[in-house]
Amino acid sequence: MTKIDTHRPESVLPTPSHTVGPFFGHALPFPGGGDIAPVGHPDTIAVHGRVYDGEGNPLPDAFVELWGPDPEGNLPTADGSMRRDPASGGFLGRNGVEFTGWGRIETDASGHWSARTLRPGARGQSAPYLSVCVFARGLLVHLFTRIYLPGDEAALAADPLLARLDPERRDTLIATEQGKGTYRFDIRLQGEGETVFLEFQ
């Protein structure tokens, strides 16, 4: 056993100061993290994109978390996004039946992420959207934003949040439709075209 003499400061090594990862790949990913929609559900959509830093470089070690209501606008109450094997403690993934509305996706080597979820329904006065939380290198605090789906211009125009933004900034919150229920949403942390991020108080 090694003992450290606390009366002799020179014998104590300093700890690293404020190391900010990225350590997300250690325990946070789980199988099926982006498979939020129940298998075979008719209202399934695919959402994907890339996470970029302030210089426009893709981030290969970021995390994107999604939350969303079901197609009727109800918030899910089902548990089970991360099931574990009772014997090994390993991740089993989802059961493919319940809709929890939540997913966690790590970006790949090219900064790309993708998820399958249910098309969100409108809640209150807001147009339908998915809530997003971003974890990435250099961020001491994670960032929140939204993904609105295009198509219903009246609902988007009446949305309380979007109505407060100028058109250029507003567009950073609206996904691009790519056909057959697929949408692209890139997240830019800084710089030109920076995504609008939200602060909750």
Side-chain angles (χ1 to χ4, degrees), residues 129-144:
Y129 66 85
L130 298 169
S131 294
V132 181
C133 184
V134 183
F135 300 81
R137 64 172 78 174
L139 295 179
L140 295 174
V141 179
H142 43 275
L143 301 173
F144 295 98

Side-chain angles (χ1 to χ4, degrees), residues 168-188:
E168 186 174 305
R169 300 292 288 140
R170 176 182 180 270
D171 287 346
T172 70
L173 296 180
I174 302 174
T176 303
E177 187 168 9
Q178 296 188 311
K180 296 184 179 179
T182 300
Y183 299 87
R184 177 159 185 154
F185 186 80
D186 292 329
I187 299 168
R188 300 182 186 277

Side-chain angles (χ1 to χ4, degrees), residues 96-120:
V97 178
E98 279 85 14
F99 176 64
T100 65
W102 180 82
R104 176 185 291 152
I105 310 103
E106 58 187 319
T107 57
D108 65 16
S110 64
H112 186 261
W113 63 273
S114 64
R116 292 183 316 100
T117 188
L118 296 185
R119 181 179 299 278

Side-chain angles (χ1 to χ4, degrees), residues 10 12 24 26 48 96 144 152 162 169 175 177:
E10 66 274 10
V12 180
F24 308 125
H26 173 62
H48 74 103
F144 295 98
D152 189 339
L162 294 178
R169 300 292 288 140
E177 187 168 9

